Amino acid sequence: MGPTISTPYSFCLYRAAVDSFIEAVRAGLEELADPGKAPEMQAYMKSDMPFLGVQKPRRVALLKSLPRIGTRDEWLEVVQTLWREATYREERYVALDLSGDRRFQSAELMPLFDEMIVTGAWWDYVDEIASRRIGPLLRSTPEVVRPLMLKWSRDADRWRRRTSIICQLGSKANTDVDLLAGCIDANVDDPDFFLRKGIGWALRQFAKTEPGWVRAFVEARPGLSPLSRREALKHL
């Protein structure tokens, strides 16, 4: 997934563009930092990584004020660097925001999103990646992503498993019900809170499209946890 730079001069331009963008992001976040909000944001998210205290509206405004990244190579380098070298959680939020650039989405990005899921390892990152990055890729390239979700549903990493369960939150009528059922069934006995909550969330969301299917699914699985069952049937 590395850059393909044809000449030393091209590489210098590429490096300058990447470094300039990253510096602008970091400087902008530092300028917007609110030390009074940072501790409560860190406590709410139960984060080991500190916060600067930049809330989402100001972070989004900062990104809109910056020049648009020109090439896929530059974009990918910026996302990976901000994510991997982050010292504040907002840097990873910016990387996550940038990772959704529609110009560059393809199934080739699955290793990037996998890295972000496993190293981020918390719901604020994982839920965004699952539903807004991997979900669209599942719908556009199911031949690549579907087998991976089935594999992830039985992975040792709970965040990969949660991703496999909730990646279809936005699929509505395009939901792959066999995949949804398979990923849930692989985790139905797991006591982990985030998996049980994810199962309930995925079913509750699909119930907006197919309430009968969800009701029948829940009734056929007495082993569903009370949490999953309650969430699934919340609006039925």
Side-chain angles (χ1 to χ4, degrees):
M1 294 177 67
T4 53
I5 310 299
S6 57
T7 68
Y9 178 70
S10 297
F11 180 79
C12 288
L13 291 176
Y14 157 83
R15 191 72 257 169
V18 168
D19 290 346
S20 175
F21 193 94
I22 291 172
E23 288 169 11
V25 168
R26 289 173 174 163
L29 289 174
E30 291 278 0
E31 185 176 340
L32 294 170
D34 185 340
K37 287 189 171 63
E40 63 187 57
M41 292 171 71
Q42 184 175 357
Y44 171 76
M45 202 51 66
K46 300 179 181 177
S47 173
D48 292 330
M49 186 179 290
F51 278 78
L52 284 163
V54 183
Q55 294 180 310
K56 184 174 181 178
R58 305 188 82 186
R59 192 180 74 237
V60 171
L62 169 63
L63 274 180
K64 288 182 178 178
S65 73
L66 298 177
R68 200 180 195 199
I69 297 174
T71 70
R72 186 184 187 279
D73 286 339
E74 292 167 0
W75 165 79
L76 185 57
E77 181 78 8
V78 165
V79 170
Q80 289 176 324
T81 301
L82 284 171
W83 184 269
R84 292 170 179 172
E85 298 181 4
T87 54
Y88 295 99
R89 205 169 186 91
E90 287 91 342
E91 291 174 78
R92 283 193 160 181
Y93 288 153
V94 169
L96 186 51
D97 292 339
L98 290 170
S99 75
D101 194 319
R102 293 182 181 180
R103 295 174 296 166
F104 306 125
Q105 299 304 297
S106 75
E108 292 178 357
L109 294 175
M110 287 301 296
L112 169 67
F113 295 138
D114 184 30
E115 175 187 344
M116 295 169 85
I117 287 166
V118 173
T119 59
W122 200 239
W123 64 266
D124 56 335
Y125 301 136
V126 171
D127 293 0
E128 178 81 3
I129 296 165
S131 62
R132 297 184 182 275
R133 304 291 181 269
I134 292 178
L137 291 178
L138 173 63
R139 293 189 288 274
S140 65
T141 49
E143 69 281 1
V144 176
V145 181
R146 189 181 194 277
L148 193 55
M149 291 301 98
L150 287 171
K151 181 180 178 182
W152 283 12
S153 73
R154 299 181 181 276
D155 194 89
D157 186 281
R158 68 171 172 176
W159 298 108
R160 283 183 178 138
R161 281 185 279 153
R162 180 173 167 96
T163 296
S164 74
I165 292 164
I166 67 170
C167 64
Q168 298 195 78
L169 289 175
S171 293
K172 299 180 181 179
N174 294 317
T175 296
D176 180 337
V177 293
D178 291 335
L179 177 62
L180 177 62
C183 292
I184 291 174
D185 285 339
N187 293 279
V188 75
D189 295 324
D190 197 295
D192 182 83
F193 169 81
F194 289 101
L195 294 175
R196 291 185 168 188
K197 189 78 169 179
I199 289 170
W201 186 14
L203 290 171
R204 186 178 76 240
Q205 192 70 10
F206 189 46
K208 297 176 183 178
T209 301
E210 290 289 349
W213 186 94
V214 170
R215 190 178 287 108
F217 182 90
V218 170
E219 289 175 356
R221 285 160 177 81
L224 273 176
S225 71
L227 173 60
S228 298
R229 184 179 301 274
R230 184 169 63 251
E231 288 292 315
L233 302 176
K234 194 169 187 177
H235 300 303
L236 293 181

